[in-house]
């Protein structure tokens, strides 16, 4: 398949990442089927795209006409079969748990067209292990966007053990069509490149607070004004979702060892469902 043959992109999952990826693909002119398991989830994702596009228009990053046209290209759906029947490229952005993703791939494989490429937006899980659930490991790779996808430039394109070179080339070309800059990740190891650096930083920030060596506010001030990061570690945690950081760390802990043990503070936030901006409370309050 060539880049020109990609017309319809299906995005599975309408959460923080899924709706953002759907928005990016629609802005690039693709027809997008955005699917989630409940109508309420998919409608919420659609409303977030609408909000984001009007924000971008307000800030002159695109015209209102372009924003309206992009929104028109997004079809929110619940039925998997309908979402992927005419898909040339499928980006999966469902929760960061191996078993959930494997179940989705089993269902997807049974209804997706043979030619379609499957790309997982996993933040850390093994691309090779996920690919094994399907009958197309050579047409399966990682395509990892960053939050918020509409504003973040990078996309990690990750090779699984059996990914064909053409799949990686095509995925990189598509990322460029989306206006992004791809970086190829050759080793399918937990957290790939970005999260291998970032998530331990966020965890260490939690340990500092757990051990009463600093407060959330002082950690975030030093991150912004000392390290020059655009957001503090806790602000970013709330933006990414504390459940996402926690699942990434749990997996890194399991595969890479002790150094990645999730801090109690992070665990507590997840247990209390204080997941960040998406739940209205995380390390900070947003209501
Ligand atoms: N769509 C449209 N507008 C958005 C938006 C979105 N999705 N998200 C935020 N905005 C808006 C805000 O509402 C705000 O609007 P107002 O000014 O009207 O309040 C505006 O954007 C802020 O944008 P600015 O350009 O003025 O602000 P900024 O220069 O701080 O940029 C940012 C915002 C690009 C998000 C920047 O803060 C940043 O780069 N933050 C770090 C993000 C980051 O590191 N992401 C990676 C996380 S790791 C990850 O995602 C991987 C993983 O697997 C866990």
């Amino acid at each position: 398949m060539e880049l020109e043959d990609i017309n319809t992109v299906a995005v599975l999952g309408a959460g923080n990442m899924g709706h953002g990826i759907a928005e990016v693909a629609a802005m690039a002119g693709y027809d997008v089927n955005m699917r989630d398991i409940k109508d309420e989830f998919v409608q919420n994702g659609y409303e977030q795209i609408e909000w984001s596009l009007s924000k971008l228009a307000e800030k002159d990053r695109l015209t209102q006409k372009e924003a309206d046209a992009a929104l028109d290209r997004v079809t929110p759906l619940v039925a998997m079969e309908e979402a992927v029947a005419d898909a040339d490229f499928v980006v999966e952005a469902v929760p960061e748990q191996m078993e959930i993703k494997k179940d989705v791939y089993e269902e997807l494989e049974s209804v997706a067209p043979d030619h379609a490429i499957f790309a997982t937006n996993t933040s850390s899980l093994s691309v090779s292990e996920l690919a094994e659930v399907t009958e197309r490991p050579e047409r399966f790779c990682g395509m990892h966007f960053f939050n918020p996808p509409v504003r973040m430039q990078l996309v990690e394109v990750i090779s699984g053990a059996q990914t064909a070179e053409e799949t990686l080339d095509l995925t990189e070309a598509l990322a460029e069509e989306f206006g992004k800059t791809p970086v190829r990740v050759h080793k399918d190891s937990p957290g790939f490149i970005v999260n291998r650096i970032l998530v331990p930083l966020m965890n260490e920030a939690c340990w500092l607070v757990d051990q009463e060596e600093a407060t959330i506010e002082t950690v975030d001030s030093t991150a912004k004004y000392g390290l020059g990061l655009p957001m503090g570690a806790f602000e970013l945690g709330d933006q990414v979702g504390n459940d996402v950081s926690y699942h990434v760390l749990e997996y890194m802990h399991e595969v890479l060892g002790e150094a990645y043990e999730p801090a109690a503070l992070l665990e507590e936030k997840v247990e209390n469902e204080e997941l960040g901006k998406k739940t209205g409370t995380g390390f900070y309050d947003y209501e």
Side-chain angles (χ1 to χ4, degrees), residues 205-269:
C206 289
W207 281 118
L208 267 173
V209 173
D210 264 341
Q211 291 160 359
E212 297 182 358
E213 289 172 30
T215 65
I216 287 177
E217 290 76 14
T218 52
V219 169
D220 275 4
S221 299
T222 50
K224 279 193 282 191
Y225 305 115
L227 297 174
L229 300 180
M231 284 176 155
F234 292 101
E235 286 176 320
L236 187 57
D238 278 352
Q239 158 109 359
V240 165
N242 293 320
D243 52 336
V244 176
S245 314
Y246 181 74
H247 290 310
V248 171
L249 267 167
E250 252 191 329
Y251 185 64
M252 286 167 70
H253 186 211
E254 186 189 315
V255 181
L256 300 172
E258 272 311 292
Y260 301 92
E261 184 188 358
L265 177 62
L266 183 60
E267 208 163 346
E268 192 186 300
K269 290 288 165 195

Side-chain angles (χ1 to χ4, degrees), residues 10 12 80-91 104-119 134-136 139:
L12 307 182
M80 174 74 97
E81 199 164 352
E82 213 183 325
V84 304
D86 59 351
D88 306 303
F89 198 98
V90 181
V91 185
V104 167
Y105 280 113
E106 263 171 30
E107 191 185 355
L108 173 63
E109 181 62 72
S110 67
V111 286
D114 283 343
H115 74 277
I117 287 179
F118 293 172
T134 73
E135 283 157 26
R136 62 186 86 196
R139 270 173 285 117

